[in-house]
Amino acid sequence: MKNSFSESYKKAGVDVTAGYRAVELMKKHVERTKVQGVFDEGIGGFGGLFALPKDGISEPVLVSGTDGVGTKLKIAMLLDKHDTIGIDCVAMCVNDIICAGAKPLFFLDYIATGKNFPEKIEKIISGVAEGCVQAGCALVGGETAEHPGMMKEDEYDIAGFSVGIVEKSRIPDKNNVKHKDVIIALASSGVHSNGFSLTRKVFGINENKKPLEKKYDDLNDILGLELLKPTKIYVKTILKALEKSKIKSICHITGGGFQENIPRAFGENLGAIIHKNAVKVPPIFKIIAKEGKINERDMFNTYNMGVGMCVITSPDDTDEALNIIRNCGEEAHIIGVVQEGISGVRIE
């Protein structure tokens, strides 16, 4: 690869040698994510190789998920802080597939950028690797593409996908959810990676980073660092809870907030009653609502409001599930019940 260089291509805006440099820089981060099943060939081939587990699964089902980070990237670019955004990308994928009870096996990323600055790419990948470590999966490959003329030199976008595996008989079945079943919330780390188009509008965050440097009394960090807190990854906690307790259904509170995501966790003719006073809303959401004059319904229909994941159990199994989740270090509490004869989500 040392001999691979095109002066003409570089003049057009693409420096292939920068890509090779970025790959070399990211190898140490990829190494951190190795798990059983990863082939020794490592990064640099045309495809990521992974051997499926043979033991303990009689009817294996593969579960896949793909996502990006959205306009949260604008905050990272304005603050020139790129080491956590990769965690968000991994989280948005693995938090989805864990809802099917699937253990993530591997992850691949795709980064498009106006210009390949290898040190910046390394920082992004360091976050991707950290997300993979938190999820217990391997980073087996990816792609970095320069898009001169389509993106500004300092701009980039990142997306990725993950594949997990689950025993067919252990996939949570939302049709088992019944009237009066209990909804348990697992706390979020903050805004996570949704609602940032609205958030940027509320604070006037465009090309000016000044609003991000503002300090609010109820926040421990400046606004920008609060907004950049990476999405929490719930994989290991949920896997433990599924192993040790009876969980009927799981939902990731992502784009669309409560109204869109909670109904995905149960069948027809059922709705959810969420007890507003039971939802522990972090200060950042109260600040967003106040600054943007956003009504309660729109807040719950856009943001996670402090709830990153929900699990549903029967009343008899709730205490056991709560104890296991809390013993994993998560903050968890009951926020509502499943209700027959209503549709959607009611915040009461």
Side-chain angles (χ1 to χ4, degrees):
M1 288 186 180
K2 293 181 180 179
N3 296 323
S4 176
F5 175 74
S6 169
E7 184 65 35
S8 298
Y9 208 6
K10 185 175 182 179
K11 287 180 179 179
V14 178
D15 184 355
V16 294
T17 59
Y20 303 147
R21 167 70 175 155
V23 170
E24 287 302 313
L25 290 173
M26 68 178 69
K27 281 183 177 179
K28 63 179 179 289
H29 302 294
V30 174
E31 188 69 24
R32 293 179 58 214
T33 74
K34 278 193 173 180
V35 298
Q36 186 175 359
V38 175
F39 279 58
D40 290 332
E41 279 78 357
I43 297 296
F46 289 99
L49 306 179
F50 194 94
L52 288 177
K54 294 180 179 179
D55 301 328
I57 301 181
S58 58
E59 290 187 278
V61 176
L62 295 180
V63 182
S64 59
T66 185
D67 209 338
V69 182
T71 62
K72 184 174 184 174
L73 287 169
K74 191 69 174 180
I75 314 296
M77 287 186 272
L78 286 170
L79 292 181
D80 194 25
K81 180 172 169 45
H82 312 285
D83 58 343
T84 61
I85 211 75
I87 301 175
D88 290 290
C89 190
V90 175
M92 298 304 288
C93 298
V94 298
N95 283 346
D96 276 353
I97 67 174
I98 194 61
C99 292
K103 179 187 184 328
L105 297 173
F106 57 83
F107 184 86
L108 286 91
D109 66 86
Y110 175 83
I111 301 170
T113 183
K115 182 176 176 63
N116 187 333
F117 296 102
E119 288 73 18
K120 180 189 286 188
I121 298 299
E122 180 195 3
K123 288 181 180 178
I124 297 169
I125 294 301
S126 74
V128 174
E130 175 59 27
C132 288
V133 169
Q134 291 182 24
C137 66
L139 177 57
V140 297
E143 173 70 11
T144 302
E146 285 186 278
H147 288 177
M150 292 185 64
M151 304 174 75
K152 295 179 182 177
E153 283 194 354
D154 60 345
E155 289 183 345
Y156 65 92
D157 195 8
I158 180 171
F161 80 92
S162 185
V163 173
I165 192 167
V166 62
E167 178 73 61
K168 183 178 179 180
S169 63
R170 297 180 65 85
I171 299 173
D173 184 354
K174 67 180 183 179
N175 294 310
N176 290 330
V177 176
K178 301 186 184 307
H179 177 62
K180 294 300 182 183
D181 279 347
V182 177
I183 302 171
I184 297 173
L186 280 67
S188 71
S189 57
V191 183
H192 282 186
S193 301
N194 302 109
F196 273 85
S197 294
L198 176 57
T199 301
R200 290 186 301 109
K201 182 177 185 296
V202 166
F203 294 107
I205 301 166
N206 294 306
E207 301 303 322
N208 178 17
K209 72 175 183 179
K210 189 173 181 179
L212 296 172
E213 297 170 340
K214 184 173 180 178
K215 183 72 173 67
Y216 290 84
D217 290 340
D218 293 332
L219 300 181
N220 294 326
D221 293 311
I222 60 171
L223 177 64
L225 292 180
E226 174 67 31
L227 294 176
L228 273 185
K229 284 182 179 177
T231 306
K232 185 174 284 191
I233 292 175
Y234 300 95
V235 169
K236 293 178 181 177
T237 296
I238 295 296
L239 286 174
K240 180 68 72 173
L242 286 168
E243 177 187 356
K244 300 293 185 181
S245 65
K246 297 178 181 177
I247 289 175
K248 290 188 173 185
S249 191
I250 309 164
C251 66
H252 179 200
I253 309 301
T254 179
F258 282 45
Q259 302 290 347
E260 181 174 327
N261 293 293
I262 292 178
R264 297 164 72 179
F266 42 73
E268 296 181 1
N269 303 316
L270 293 172
I273 304 246
I274 300 297
H275 306 307
K276 182 168 54 177
N277 292 336
V279 179
K280 299 179 181 180
V281 181
I284 183 60
F285 296 108
K286 298 175 183 178
I287 293 169
I288 291 171
K290 181 180 179 181
E291 294 286 328
K293 298 180 174 59
I294 303 172
N295 63 55
E296 180 179 272
R297 188 191 186 284
D298 284 354
M299 288 297 297
F300 277 92
N301 200 31
T302 305
Y303 298 103
N304 68 62
M305 300 301 283
V307 178
M309 186 80 71
C310 288
V311 299
I312 300 176
T313 68
S314 70
D316 292 340
D317 298 320
T318 299
D319 287 344
E320 182 182 41
L322 276 170
N323 287 335
I324 292 166
I325 292 168
R326 288 168 178 166
N327 286 338
C328 289
E330 298 290 348
E331 181 184 345
H333 50 279
I334 297 168
I335 61 167
V337 296
V338 176
Q339 182 72 39
E340 195 172 48
I342 67 172
S343 62
V345 177
R346 293 184 185 177
I347 313 290
E348 298 182 352

